[in-house]
Amino acid sequence: MKQWKECTKEELSAMRAEFASQYEALKEKGLKLDLSRGKPSSDVLDLSNALLDKLDSWRTEDGTDIRNYGVVDGLPECKRLFSDLTGVAPERMIVGGNSSLTHMYNTMALFYLFGASDEPGCAPWGKAEKVRWLCPVPGYDRHFSVTQDMGAELVPVPMEEDGPDMDEVERFAGPDPAVKGIWIVPLYSNPTGAVISEEKAKRLASMKTAAPDFRIFWDNAYGVHHVWEAHKAPDIFALCDAAGNPERAVYFFSTSKVNFPGAGVGLVAAGPATVKRMLAHLKMETIGFDKTTQLRTVKFFGGSAENVRVHMAKIAALLRPRFDLVLETLDREFTGTGILEWTAPKGGYFVSVDTLDGCAGAVVARAKEAGVTLTGAGATWPYGKDPRDRNIRIAPTYPGVDELAQTLELFAVCVKLVTVEKLLESA
Amino acid sequence: MKQWKECTKEELSAMRAEFASQYEALKEKGLKLDLSRGKPSSDVLDLSNALLDKLDSWRTEDGTDIRNYGVVDGLPECKRLFSDLTGVAPERMIVGGNSSLTHMYNTMALFYLFGASDEPGCAPWGKAEKVRWLCPVPGYDRHFSVTQDMGAELVPVPMEEDGPDMDEVERFAGPDPAVKGIWIVPLYSNPTGAVISEEKAKRLASMKTAAPDFRIFWDNAYGVHHVWEAHKAPDIFALCDAAGNPERAVYFFSTSKVNFPGAGVGLVAAGPATVKRMLAHLKMETIGFDKTTQLRTVKFFGGSAENVRVHMAKIAALLRPRFDLVLETLDREFTGTGILEWTAPKGGYFVSVDTLDGCAGAVVARAKEAGVTLTGAGATWPYGKDPRDRNIRIAPTYPGVDELAQTLELFAVCVKLVTVEKLLESA
């Protein structure tokens, strides 16, 4: 197939007519589909319905009555389950309620209000003249929103196939004490599905930073969410400890996409001094998170990490056809055209695509007009502004396979139509 | 009976010998009892065990799947139930997870990070040179801790039988723009059990304050927790609206002491601009609180506020004998002695007692030595410092009646022993 950029004006005009008529035909179908958010589908949620069953005991293994006050840092058996699953030591953990995003926001708020450390030069970030935060792009909009809400200046750094561009990261964090941290999704990053390499994780853990309180917000959101073969995130705590930076990483995990996003158990873990710091303030904030959800979660899995893995394999079996359909469709429709690039995610929840420059916003608008909601163009960039207007996040997990096929058909037509229009502008 | 202050040195010495021997005898029993915290007892918790039953539907009345993401401000049917129960309009509400203390802390954090208002002169409290906060005393230690944690200077104002000493409140809030707010437990205050009068609530709502962003943190923690006859808190929103201060009150409520403290549903409500402000930031913090607990709560009560009242009457029937025992014991042991004063609470969770000056700490220490944990002396004051060292909070809800009787017997002996020792010092 000829690369579209090499097409003549006449060829492009003919293509435009064809795609416009395809688009109008699809539009007439009156679709009403949503490919915008990383939500689990009903068939995935159904796998966890036993969580709603009667809880036959309100006692923990140590006899604590979960109906009453107390246990601010989370049930021991819940910590143990998560420790077996993630490799994070229970002593580093605080297990809370729904959701890990709340842990991230609250940790950030804590650092803004009280500082990240008592070491010299570590004033509350809210008192600093400027806080800058590194945001691998494309990345997760809700991460960016947390730091934006606090008032940090968001600094994009390119995301590569094995993690962020570390030269760029070091170029910012090395000399500038205002650079206080970075967002990292180590496994199956949102939206590219990349897995960070051991080497890059090691550089993150050990690099010199001008800020003594530089923090890696390590959101292992997809830590057990394999789609094809299983990958593993590097052990960031071990790497930070080895580098003499034991407080650098703050780790997040949750069962939102393991069981129910509407009733998950969120986890935050950190270095010893940071956990102590968090707990000191957390004790002022609550007398305990919802312990029934914690105990239900433990009982659902019989306290066994292996059972979580078995459960996640069932979820993967439901997700694989959806991902395969996306990748097959993109391959069939766009390979050789030179108008669309996409990631081959290793797992997780998303596929990231890049159109030609200046086309993403128009594609999303066209799809919307025909009844299909895509993640907003620019959402994968700080402030919602993709400077090249080319990245779109495809979230294939929520619709059923048939709906997904319809959505992708429309998506492909929108990309083609918008692209030929763009090419015609300069033809 | 002769007032103890009028006793001779010889009489006091004889009394000391008697109480010391009573104390030693009780100490030898090796008690291990806890009268320190306002925790519900097992028999009270048992009334809510159906909350742990199977949840037979995961759909809300409008079809929302509670297992999935969304509904950041709380389920509509949950808001309606709370509105029927409290009289607060659903539009003012954000219904969250466990617990209302978390709502208080987060609201305070929000005001510190982002300010309480966009009006002129309303900078983030964290940027202010000084923030002062009014604390009716005796009061609730966890309230004081929240403001202390944020760095506010805590200013005690006397708590009276019908609410705080409003002359004092106005004396501080009127001229000083650093005074940003006050803690109020309107109904059955912690620990005196007082109910704020309509007149004082009206003064709070309408008084002139130097700070344009003065806030009343109105913690209706015991809003439906009658022990004897039912009382009602004034409608603080109506009073604030009428006074032209629609954003002054922030209202809190929860089901922690209705159902389970370990799995409650917390509620925050506020003026229209403040709710909007809260939601704008809350959307960055979470994609939704635990909706299963919200739906379970609604289903437990069949969505009916009247059923909540019936449920609370059952709890009251279990609490009354405990409260009666405390009040009867205090009356029998101390009426006419002139060495102890106590409140006649109208409801709630506590009885507040005042020893002679300088005795409370010693009483708590003596009780502890004999195996009975009381709330720490001073806990009802900011910074844990009761300047006259006389107030002790008695929390009779957790032990069974028999245990409570033993505890009160020891408590009475400790008060007597410590008091005669004190009187002997100056005899």
Side-chain angles (χ1 to χ4, degrees):
Chain A
M1 192 195 273
K2 198 169 167 182
Q3 293 259 319
W4 290 21
K5 281 178 189 167
E6 294 158 15
C7 289
T8 63
K9 200 171 172 180
E10 290 65 36
E11 284 171 325
L12 289 170
S13 293
M15 287 158 80
R16 176 171 59 182
E18 183 193 342
F19 300 141
S21 98
Q22 287 176 5
Y23 176 74
E24 291 305 323
L26 285 170
K27 196 173 156 185
E28 273 178 23
K29 282 194 181 175
L31 300 176
K32 205 171 172 330
L33 300 169
D34 193 330
L35 212 66
S36 70
R37 301 302 319 177
K39 289 169 69 172
S41 56
S42 292
D43 53 353
V44 168
L45 295 174
D46 286 344
L47 294 172
S48 298
N49 282 346
L51 263 182
L52 303 172
D53 285 354
K54 185 181 166 91
L55 191 59
D56 52 13
S57 163
W58 53 78
R59 294 276 175 201
T60 63
E61 58 187 17
D62 65 4
T64 302
D65 186 337
I66 57 157
R67 302 171 304 173
N68 220 325
Y69 285 111
V71 201
V72 75
D73 56 337
L75 300 184
E77 50 263 70
C78 200
K79 288 188 182 183
R80 202 170 55 235
L81 174 63
F82 287 161
S83 180
D84 291 347
L85 195 60
T86 63
V88 172
E91 313 84 71
R92 288 182 182 267
M93 286 185 187
I94 296 169
V95 174
N98 208 39
S99 61
S100 60
L101 185 66
T102 302
H103 280 306
M104 292 174 220
Y105 190 92
N106 286 351
T107 303
M108 199 66 81
L110 179 87
F111 292 174
Y112 264 79
L113 286 167
F114 310 114
S117 163
D118 286 327
E119 299 289 310
C122 299
W125 295 357
K127 307 247 188 228
E129 216 167 291
K130 186 180 265 302
V131 170
R132 308 178 81 199
W133 195 273
L134 305 181
C135 299
V137 286
Y140 179 34
D141 54 351
R142 290 189 183 274
H143 281 169
F144 302 159
S145 302
V146 167
T147 20
Q148 187 182 348
D149 198 47
M150 294 293 155
E153 182 192 323
L154 310 186
V155 180
V157 294
M159 183 68 182
E160 300 170 340
E161 273 183 37
D162 58 347
D165 178 337
M166 283 305 301
D167 291 341
E168 278 290 281
V169 169
E170 288 174 356
R171 191 170 69 83
F172 286 111
D176 183 358
V179 175
K180 293 295 188 189
I182 186 168
W183 288 112
I184 295 288
V185 180
L187 201 65
Y188 314 136
S189 93
N190 177 349
T192 69
V195 177
I196 194 172
S197 66
E198 188 78 17
E199 185 224 326
K200 286 197 167 176
K202 196 170 173 181
R203 273 177 80 179
L204 274 173
S206 58
M207 66 182 180
K208 279 210 170 21
T209 64
D213 49 359
F214 182 91
R215 294 290 178 262
I216 304 164
F217 272 41
W218 186 266
D219 180 10
N220 201 11
Y222 308 101
V224 292
H225 303 60
H226 318 301
V227 176
W228 297 280
E229 79 272 35
H231 299 77
K232 208 172 173 320
D235 182 344
I236 191 66
F237 285 131
L239 293 171
C240 286
D241 288 351
N245 295 315
E247 306 297 332
R248 181 171 287 183
V250 186
Y251 180 111
F252 304 94
F253 179 76
S254 93
T255 61
S256 288
K257 289 190 182 91
V258 172
N259 296 132
F260 296 150
V265 176
L267 151 71
V268 56
T274 306
V275 170
K276 210 172 143 189
R277 196 171 186 80
M278 287 173 167
L279 275 176
H281 294 283
L282 191 62
K283 281 173 184 168
M284 308 296 130
E285 181 186 331
T286 183
I287 317 173
F289 293 100
D290 191 322
K291 293 189 287 293
T292 58
T293 304
Q294 291 182 14
L295 190 60
R296 280 179 193 282
T297 301
V298 172
K299 285 180 180 272
F300 179 81
F301 293 114
S304 151
E306 183 51 30
N307 288 345
V308 180
R309 288 183 204 107
V310 170
H311 176 81
M312 295 311 292
K314 290 181 199 160
I315 292 181
L318 293 171
L319 292 188
R320 260 193 310 272
R322 292 171 162 100
F323 276 93
D324 288 341
L325 182 61
V326 174
L327 296 170
E328 283 159 21
T329 305
L330 296 178
D331 183 43
R332 186 181 64 238
E333 301 289 333
F334 296 105
T335 293
T337 63
I339 66 162
L340 196 80
E341 292 182 348
W342 59 95
T343 56
K346 292 182 171 155
Y349 250 61
F350 303 101
V351 177
S352 173
V353 308
D354 282 331
T355 63
L356 295 188
D357 286 10
C359 291
V363 167
V364 171
R366 286 280 192 177
K368 184 87 187 169
E369 205 188 315
V372 171
T373 306
L374 299 170
T375 308
T380 55
W381 276 73
Y383 310 110
K385 298 230 181 289
D386 173 1
R388 294 175 62 184
D389 184 24
R390 61 170 185 164
N391 188 254
I392 300 174
R393 183 182 80 166
I394 295 183
T397 58
Y398 186 64
V401 172
D402 289 350
E403 281 188 351
L404 183 60
Q406 286 186 295
T407 314
L408 291 168
E409 187 188 357
L410 178 77
F411 172 74
V413 170
C414 290
V415 171
K416 291 174 186 175
L417 181 56
V418 167
T419 306
V420 288
E421 283 171 347
K422 189 82 185 171
L423 291 172
L424 274 167
E425 279 174 25
S426 52
Chain B
M1 191 196 273
K2 195 168 168 182
Q3 292 260 318
W4 289 23
K5 282 179 187 167
E6 294 157 16
C7 289
T8 62
K9 198 169 172 178
E10 290 66 35
E11 285 171 324
L12 289 171
S13 293
M15 287 157 81
R16 175 171 60 182
E18 183 194 343
F19 300 141
S21 99
Q22 287 175 4
Y23 177 76
E24 291 305 323
L26 285 170
K27 197 171 154 185
E28 273 178 24
K29 284 193 180 176
L31 300 176
K32 204 171 173 329
L33 299 168
D34 194 329
L35 213 64
S36 69
R37 300 302 321 176
K39 290 169 70 170
S41 57
S42 291
D43 52 355
V44 167
L45 295 175
D46 287 345
L47 294 173
S48 298
N49 282 347
L51 264 182
L52 303 173
D53 286 353
K54 185 181 166 90
L55 190 59
D56 52 13
S57 164
W58 52 80
R59 294 278 175 198
T60 64
E61 58 187 16
D62 65 4
T64 301
D65 185 337
I66 58 157
R67 303 171 304 174
N68 221 324
Y69 286 110
V71 202
V72 74
D73 56 337
L75 300 184
E77 50 262 71
C78 200
K79 288 188 180 182
R80 202 170 56 236
L81 174 64
F82 287 161
S83 179
D84 292 348
L85 195 60
T86 62
V88 172
E91 312 83 72
R92 289 183 182 267
M93 287 185 184
I94 296 169
V95 174
N98 208 39
S99 62
S100 60
L101 185 66
T102 303
H103 280 307
M104 293 174 218
Y105 190 93
N106 286 351
T107 303
M108 200 66 83
L110 179 85
F111 292 174
Y112 265 78
L113 285 168
F114 309 113
S117 163
D118 286 327
E119 299 290 309
C122 299
W125 296 357
K127 306 248 188 225
E129 214 166 290
K130 187 181 263 301
V131 169
R132 308 177 81 200
W133 195 271
L134 304 180
C135 299
V137 286
Y140 178 34
D141 54 351
R142 290 189 183 273
H143 282 168
F144 302 160
S145 303
V146 168
T147 20
Q148 188 182 346
D149 198 47
M150 294 293 155
E153 182 192 323
L154 310 185
V155 181
V157 294
M159 183 69 182
E160 299 171 340
E161 273 183 38
D162 58 348
D165 179 337
M166 282 305 302
D167 292 341
E168 279 290 280
V169 170
E170 288 173 358
R171 192 170 69 83
F172 285 110
D176 183 357
V179 175
K180 293 293 189 190
I182 186 170
W183 288 113
I184 295 288
V185 180
L187 200 66
Y188 315 136
S189 92
N190 177 350
T192 71
V195 178
I196 194 171
S197 65
E198 187 79 15
E199 184 223 329
K200 287 198 167 176
K202 197 170 172 178
R203 273 177 79 179
L204 274 174
S206 59
M207 66 182 180
K208 279 209 171 21
T209 63
D213 49 358
F214 182 91
R215 294 290 178 264
I216 305 164
F217 271 40
W218 186 267
D219 180 10
N220 202 10
Y222 308 102
V224 293
H225 302 62
H226 318 303
V227 175
W228 297 281
E229 78 271 36
H231 299 75
K232 208 171 170 326
D235 182 345
I236 191 65
F237 285 130
L239 294 170
C240 286
D241 288 350
N245 295 314
E247 306 298 331
R248 182 172 287 183
V250 185
Y251 180 112
F252 304 94
F253 179 77
S254 92
T255 60
S256 288
K257 289 189 182 92
V258 172
N259 297 131
F260 296 150
V265 177
L267 151 70
V268 56
T274 307
V275 170
K276 211 172 142 190
R277 197 174 185 78
M278 287 171 167
L279 275 176
H281 294 283
L282 191 61
K283 282 172 185 169
M284 308 295 129
E285 182 186 331
T286 182
I287 316 173
F289 293 101
D290 192 322
K291 292 188 289 291
T292 58
T293 304
Q294 292 183 14
L295 190 60
R296 281 178 191 282
T297 301
V298 172
K299 285 180 179 272
F300 179 81
F301 293 115
S304 152
E306 183 52 30
N307 288 345
V308 181
R309 289 184 202 105
V310 169
H311 176 80
M312 295 311 293
K314 289 181 200 161
I315 292 181
L318 293 171
L319 292 188
R320 260 193 311 272
R322 293 171 162 100
F323 275 93
D324 289 342
L325 184 61
V326 175
L327 295 170
E328 283 160 22
T329 305
L330 295 178
D331 183 45
R332 186 181 66 239
E333 300 289 334
F334 296 106
T335 293
T337 62
I339 66 162
L340 196 79
E341 293 181 347
W342 59 96
T343 55
K346 292 181 172 156
Y349 249 63
F350 304 101
V351 178
S352 173
V353 308
D354 281 331
T355 64
L356 295 188
D357 286 8
C359 290
V363 168
V364 172
R366 285 281 193 179
K368 183 87 190 169
E369 203 187 317
V372 171
T373 306
L374 299 169
T375 308
T380 55
W381 276 73
Y383 310 110
K385 297 233 181 289
D386 173 2
R388 293 174 61 182
D389 185 24
R390 62 171 184 164
N391 187 254
I392 300 174
R393 183 182 80 166
I394 295 183
T397 58
Y398 187 65
V401 173
D402 289 349
E403 282 188 351
L404 183 61
Q406 286 186 297
T407 313
L408 290 167
E409 186 188 359
L410 178 77
F411 171 75
V413 170
C414 290
V415 172
K416 291 173 184 174
L417 181 56
V418 167
T419 305
V420 289
E421 284 172 346
K422 188 83 186 172
L423 291 172
L424 274 167
E425 278 174 25
S426 51

